[in-house]
């Protein structure tokens, strides 16, 4: 009896320590799981999977609006879907091409979706998914991201080895900037600089989006893919190394390398300074304390989590309790 009690107490203590280390803000992660044809909805404050939606067509790309709308991209079926935060399907459209990357502009209710096969960006109305315009890009547009002020859409053009910047108000091209080999994921740092993960040259390009100048090229791990920022640091998923590289934003120096799950893919920051990494081949999320630089939890998901895009809804957002 005493042994069973001690075992129960040990598990309770371990659970309490895990919960104490998790994000405290009640953020939700809406993780597209490609192999499982699903979205795993995880409460990051408790570490529990709140729901699992069936999403056909092998979903990969994802964008979550501040109001709680969840947009998914299923490359296999070429379908874009809009869900409420409770999983209710609100709209869907099939696009003829290779949809993959996605970004949402809440200021103008515009959804940008990259056509990987045909070098273009679809511009859709967020509420209805009706098409508004098309933008021309270089070959194989991959990651899409909006600047913190919403004025610029940045597109990584994988097979053109460059990034194109569009004005989100006029939809005109602002700049085309050569970077490393095969850029894929990209993200704006809090100070406005654009960081681009080059999967072919195993480095990160750092761009001043105003001047269009590449300020630095930073070596990272094998096949860098996604980027996120917290605690004055940049975090880069390295797919072939099963690691995350950490970079100091102040001077762009390497800080450390963290071990995560197998084939880390998508990466986002929570509202209170944690980093969440999707481990594609492990069916899990790694949660990193960005201050302590430790993996503090590993959470289960549906099969094949990707989370390619913005997949976290802050707990204090309007849609956080839907």
């Amino acid at each position: 009896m005493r042994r069973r009690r001690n075992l129960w107490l040990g598990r309770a203590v371990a659970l309490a320590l895990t919960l104490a280390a998790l994000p405290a803000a009640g953020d939700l992660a809406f993780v597209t799981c490609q192999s499982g044809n699903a979205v795993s909805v995880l409460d990051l404050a408790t570490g529990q999977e709140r729901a699992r939606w069936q999403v056909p067509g092998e979903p990969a790309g994802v964008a979550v609006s501040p109001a709680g709308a969840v947009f998914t991209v299923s490359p296999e079926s070429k379908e874009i879907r809009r869900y409420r935060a409770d999983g209710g399907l609100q709209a869907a459209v099939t696009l003829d091409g290779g949809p993959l990357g996605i970004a949402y502009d809440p200021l103008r209710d515009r959804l940008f979706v990259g056509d990987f096969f045909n070098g273009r960006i679809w511009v859709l109305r967020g509420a209805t998914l009706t098409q508004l315009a098309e933008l021309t890009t270089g070959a194989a547009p991959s990651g899409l991201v909006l600047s913190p002020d919403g004025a610029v859409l940045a597109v990584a053009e994988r097979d053109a080895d460059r990034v194109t910047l569009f004005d989100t108000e006029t939809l005109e091209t602002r700049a085309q900037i050569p970077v490393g080999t095969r850029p894929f994921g990209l993200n704006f740092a809090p100070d406005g600089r654009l960081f681009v993960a080059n999967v072919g040259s195993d480095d990160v390009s750092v761009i001043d989006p105003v001047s269009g100048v590449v300020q630095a090229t930073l070596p990272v791990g094998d096949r860098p893919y996604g980027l996120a920022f917290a605690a004055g640091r940049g975090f880069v998923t390295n797919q072939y190394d099963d690691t995350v590289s950490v970079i100091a934003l102040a001077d762009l120096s390497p800080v450390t390398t963290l071990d995560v799950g197998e084939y880390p893919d998508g990466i986002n920051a929570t509202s209170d300074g944690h980093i969440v990494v999707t481990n594609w081949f492990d069916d899990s999320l790694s949660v990193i304390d960005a201050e302590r630089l430790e993996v503090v939890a590993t959470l289960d998901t549906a099969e094949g989590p990707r989370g390619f895009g913005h997949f976290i809804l802050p707990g204090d957002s309007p849609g956080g309790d839907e």
Side-chain angles (χ1 to χ4, degrees), residues 91-106:
V93 65
T94 300
L95 300 176
D96 183 20
L100 177 61
I102 186 171
Y104 178 67
D105 176 4

